[in-house]
Amino acid sequence: MIGVFSCQKDDDSITDSNTNNISIKEYTFDELNSNTTFSKTYKKVVKAIKKKNLNKSRSLDDNDFEIDSTIIKEIKIGNITSYTFLAYLDNQEPNSFNNIVIQIDSLENERALLITYFPESSMEYIVDHNSFTFQGTSIAEIVNIDSTAFVNRDMDMGCFVTWYCNWGGSIHLAGDNCTESYMFSETTCNLGGGGSGGGGGAGGSSSPNNPDPINTAPTYTIPYEQNLIECLGLNSVENANLVVSNWINNPDNFIQVRKMSTFLSNKNCSEKAQAFVIASIEAIINGDLDEFNEDFYTWGVTKDDTFVNSELDCIYEKLKGGNLGNNFFNDMLFEFDQLTPLKFSIGPTPNPEDYAFTKGETTTIFGQTHASYEIISSPDAESASNLDKMVTLSHELMHAFMFKSLEDWGIVSFDNIGRPYLIENYDDMCQDDNLDEEININFLTMKERWVFLICEILENSDDPNNNQEWTHSLFNSPVFAIETYREKLEQELYNNHDWNSEPTDIKNLMIQHFGAFNWKQKVAEYMSWSGLHGTPEFANWLSTQTEYTSTLYPNPLDLWKEGVTEWWTQSNNINYVSNNCN
């Protein structure tokens, strides 16, 4: 059961500067949920509110709600502890926000309020304290946690104490960044019971008809509508979209706007995430989509039935998990979404001699043209060694990631087989100013860098207008940073392959080539050049490997091919190396 009392400033509130040794700390819900006292009371309060035994002032039937789990304020004064968190009610009052306050004393006596705040002016964000100003009114609804009891209409429901901070020259809601000397409180009491409570809300005993005040420091978040509009750039003249902006500002869409705003915040408002949200809003407006679903963003990578539970799938999952927190394989997977999906499969490749093939094609989704990709591994790749499977999947994923970036920029499209081709020919795309050897590519935009590097590769080839190896040469170009794709692949292999699973004989052979300390890194380096041996960069790299030649392998090419990589890539050597993923 819930009782109601309204709070109007000036006629039922008292301001007090006595802080009574107050302590305010901020936690996430997950951090507090391990506190059994809090968890037990929280569950009771949720149950009581959802029972819909609301005062008649609420006419809506649905009283479901969610909480903002990112911040809960804990206030301790004496032997009394309160917890305040933001709640999103399905029957939210217009132009308001809700807080639930739970208060527990040392005897585990429990009380709770549902407070609705009505700001009368814009809530200014105080950056240094991660807080907000508040001017307005509120309505406090008393939550009867014990559903078997009834609220006595003649009983004094007591008061609640709101804590503020005046640090920095502006009064705002207190939090754990505010020191006690800058805090003050405002006590608000019910209108029906008569009398005002004392300031501060200190702990202590009181009669049943005059309970201790409930302490709160309201929690609030940045307005989701504003967040969403600013992230999408809709507040700028060049990006103005009245239809989308009106949809965002429509109160009926608040739940979806909140989901979108939170989603974009979690994605650091990336361009890809922005495009996904815009496409989703337009699809909702056009009736092509019922509601925003961020799973569409993360469901972009799928597995064909031919791939599921295969040996390649086992290696895929190991790469996806990764031994390092910042996994390059995962980073590349993350770039694909429902609008630009990627599928893994096992089947015949266009060229039967290829271990794998990355296919690209364009399609239309939500009225916009997007590309989709498929990495097709051959049956030979399925029966290869573990290390070779890892090379194949990583190599082809790099192709897919690379093709996606180039297609996004309008640099490539795909033929009927799925192979990429440059939309412009060499003469049109690669003007003289693009090939300035003095240019610093770090000062170029990402698209300009792609064009520059491709043109540089084509310029140094025998036939710039008919050179398919540019896709592999890009593996050795600093597209994003100092490290090249090939170097990242090397580290991916080194960090994620189970080197201890390799048989003793093959380990001893590699130790003979490279030494006991260095053999894992060197094998990863040599294997990372698989599939790139047709590039001029491979020949340059081979020339740096003469120190590892021997009587048995006097030529660096022989060492790379016969001395190292063929142990993991040739089917007749499969039993000499690790080949069972499980």
Side-chain angles (χ1 to χ4, degrees):
M1 185 172 179
I2 295 181
V4 178
F5 57 97
S6 63
C7 310
Q8 306 293 329
K9 284 186 178 255
D10 300 326
D11 59 1
D12 63 342
S13 61
I14 297 176
T15 300
D16 194 336
S17 59
N18 180 14
T19 56
N20 293 292
N21 297 316
I22 183 174
S23 168
I24 301 181
K25 295 186 180 299
E26 295 177 2
Y27 301 95
T28 65
F29 179 83
D30 289 340
E31 290 171 337
L32 276 179
N33 204 32
S34 59
N35 181 324
T36 54
T37 301
F38 167 81
S39 178
K40 180 179 67 174
T41 306
Y42 170 79
K43 291 175 182 176
K44 290 181 182 179
V45 171
V46 170
K47 183 177 180 181
I49 295 176
K50 290 188 176 183
K51 273 197 168 186
K52 305 177 184 177
N53 293 328
L54 298 177
N55 185 280
K56 292 181 181 179
S57 64
R58 286 184 180 268
S59 59
L60 297 178
D61 293 331
D62 190 2
N63 199 41
D64 203 359
F65 69 97
E66 297 176 16
I67 71 163
D68 186 335
S69 60
T70 59
I71 179 171
I72 297 178
K73 292 183 181 178
E74 178 195 76
I75 302 178
K76 287 188 175 182
I77 301 177
N79 62 1
I80 293 176
T81 303
S82 72
Y83 303 94
T84 302
F85 44 91
L86 189 63
Y88 303 106
L89 273 64
D90 283 359
N91 57 352
Q92 187 88 23
E93 296 281 349
N95 303 314
S96 70
F97 67 96
N98 290 92
N99 276 192
I100 295 174
V101 188
I102 298 172
Q103 185 154 293
I104 309 167
D105 64 20
S106 59
L107 299 178
E108 295 192 6
N109 294 314
E110 305 160 324
R111 299 173 65 205
L113 294 177
L114 173 62
I115 305 177
T116 304
Y117 294 94
F118 298 90
E120 295 176 344
S121 60
S122 177
M123 296 178 67
E124 178 187 356
Y125 181 55
I126 309 301
V127 178
D128 291 338
H129 275 193
N130 188 31
S131 183
F132 295 83
T133 61
F134 175 76
Q135 291 290 329
T137 60
S138 61
I139 295 178
E141 301 177 78
I142 301 167
V143 182
N144 183 20
I145 300 175
D146 182 2
S147 60
T148 62
F150 292 89
V151 175
N152 183 346
R153 291 176 182 271
D154 299 323
M155 182 178 181
D156 186 345
M157 291 304 166
C159 310
F160 70 92
V161 179
T162 304
W163 289 92
Y164 295 94
C165 179
N166 59 14
W167 178 89
S170 61
I171 297 174
H172 52 276
L173 307 172
D176 65 357
N177 285 328
C178 189
T179 55
E180 185 175 337
S181 61
Y182 288 98
M183 292 185 194
F184 68 95
S185 64
E186 182 177 273
T187 302
T188 306
C189 298
N190 67 305
L191 299 176
S196 297
S205 61
S206 61
S207 70
N209 286 338
N210 187 22
D212 293 312
I214 292 180
N215 294 287
T216 184
T219 63
Y220 184 66
T221 59
I222 297 174
Y224 291 107
E225 297 90 340
Q226 176 185 335
N227 243 10
L228 185 56
I229 286 174
E230 290 180 355
C231 172
L232 297 177
L234 298 174
N235 54 340
S236 63
V237 176
E238 59 270 22
N239 293 326
N241 186 324
L242 187 60
V243 174
V244 172
S245 295
N246 287 342
W247 184 91
I248 293 172
N249 288 313
N250 186 337
D252 293 340
N253 301 322
F254 174 77
I255 300 299
Q256 295 196 74
V257 168
R258 172 159 53 87
K259 290 179 179 178
M260 293 175 181
S261 180
T262 303
F263 167 78
L264 285 170
S265 177
N266 292 337
K267 304 303 182 191
N268 296 317
C269 199
S270 69
E271 289 185 9
K272 184 169 75 82
Q274 290 180 49
F276 173 71
V277 169
I278 288 289
S280 297
I281 293 175
E282 292 176 342
I284 292 170
I285 293 173
N286 294 331
D288 298 326
L289 195 65
D290 291 332
E291 61 181 18
F292 178 72
N293 188 344
E294 68 176 83
D295 287 339
F296 285 169
Y297 186 86
T298 55
W299 286 353
V301 179
T302 58
K303 301 174 185 176
D304 186 76
D305 290 342
T306 57
F307 192 87
V308 175
N309 295 327
S310 65
E311 285 286 309
L312 281 164
D313 190 12
C314 179
I315 294 294
Y316 167 88
E317 290 298 329
K318 289 181 182 293
L319 281 168
K320 187 179 175 184
N323 294 331
L324 295 180
N326 185 15
N327 185 306
F328 186 53
F329 192 85
N330 252 347
D331 290 343
M332 291 187 292
L333 286 177
F334 180 74
E335 291 299 316
F336 297 89
D337 54 46
Q338 190 72 3
L339 300 178
T340 50
L342 170 66
K343 181 169 68 175
F344 287 83
S345 66
I346 298 176
T349 58
N351 183 349
E353 296 182 0
D354 288 339
Y355 247 35
F357 175 74
T358 299
K359 175 184 176 181
E361 61 181 344
T362 56
T363 187
T364 301
I365 303 176
F366 300 157
Q368 296 186 21
T369 300
H370 298 273
S372 60
Y373 302 89
E374 182 177 4
I375 293 176
I376 307 170
S377 298
S378 69
D380 288 340
E382 167 67 3
S383 60
S385 69
N386 288 351
L387 187 56
D388 201 17
K389 291 188 185 81
M390 194 172 286
V391 171
T392 297
L393 289 175
S394 298
H395 181 105
E396 295 305 321
L397 181 55
M398 286 181 180
H399 271 309
F401 176 60
M402 194 183 301
F403 297 163
K404 178 187 179 300
S405 300
L406 295 172
E407 197 280 334
D408 285 347
W409 286 115
I411 297 174
V412 303
S413 190
F414 304 98
D415 62 20
N416 58 356
I417 296 177
R419 295 174 301 192
Y421 65 86
L422 296 170
I423 294 176
E424 293 185 310
N425 63 33
Y426 170 76
D427 293 329
D428 292 334
M429 183 175 68
C430 304
Q431 303 298 321
D432 291 340
D433 55 344
N434 289 335
L435 301 175
D436 186 352
E437 295 181 358
E438 301 299 322
I439 197 169
N440 186 338
I441 63 173
N442 294 312
F443 295 137
L444 299 178
T445 65
M446 192 60 68
K447 180 180 180 181
E448 290 170 342
R449 183 181 291 198
W450 279 116
V451 171
F452 174 83
L453 293 171
I454 293 172
C455 289
E456 189 177 55
I457 292 167
L458 296 178
E459 181 191 32
N460 294 320
S461 66
D462 294 334
D463 186 357
N465 285 308
N466 187 27
N467 177 7
Q468 286 300 313
E469 281 300 324
W470 65 267
T471 62
H472 284 128
S473 289
L474 275 180
F475 272 62
N476 297 288
S477 299
V479 175
F480 291 120
I482 296 174
E483 277 189 308
T484 65
Y485 285 131
R486 205 278 314 157
E487 289 170 323
K488 285 185 175 291
L489 174 57
E490 175 187 332
Q491 287 305 114
E492 189 76 19
L493 301 177
Y494 177 72
N495 290 323
N496 291 293
H497 180 57
D498 184 6
W499 298 100
N500 293 328
S501 69
E502 295 294 349
T504 301
D505 287 346
I506 196 68
K507 287 194 286 188
N508 288 337
L509 180 59
M510 295 303 116
I511 290 172
Q512 289 180 27
H513 292 328
F514 306 116
F517 176 76
N518 209 30
W519 74 272
K520 297 176 186 177
Q521 186 75 58
K522 292 303 293 184
V523 171
E525 180 184 352
Y526 274 51
M527 288 295 294
S528 71
W529 284 98
S530 296
L532 304 179
H533 51 278
T535 66
E537 293 79 14
F538 175 73
N540 294 336
W541 171 78
L542 273 183
S543 66
T544 67
Q545 301 300 304
T546 54
E547 65 177 292
Y548 301 107
T549 57
S550 63
T551 304
L552 184 60
Y553 301 108
N555 186 301
L557 179 60
D558 294 336
L559 174 63
W560 173 78
K561 184 178 179 181
E562 300 171 16
V564 180
T565 58
E566 284 190 351
W567 284 105
W568 281 275
T569 60
Q570 294 297 305
S571 58
N572 57 326
N573 292 329
I574 193 68
N575 293 324
Y576 296 102
V577 293
S578 175
N579 57 69
N580 187 337
C581 178
N582 298 317

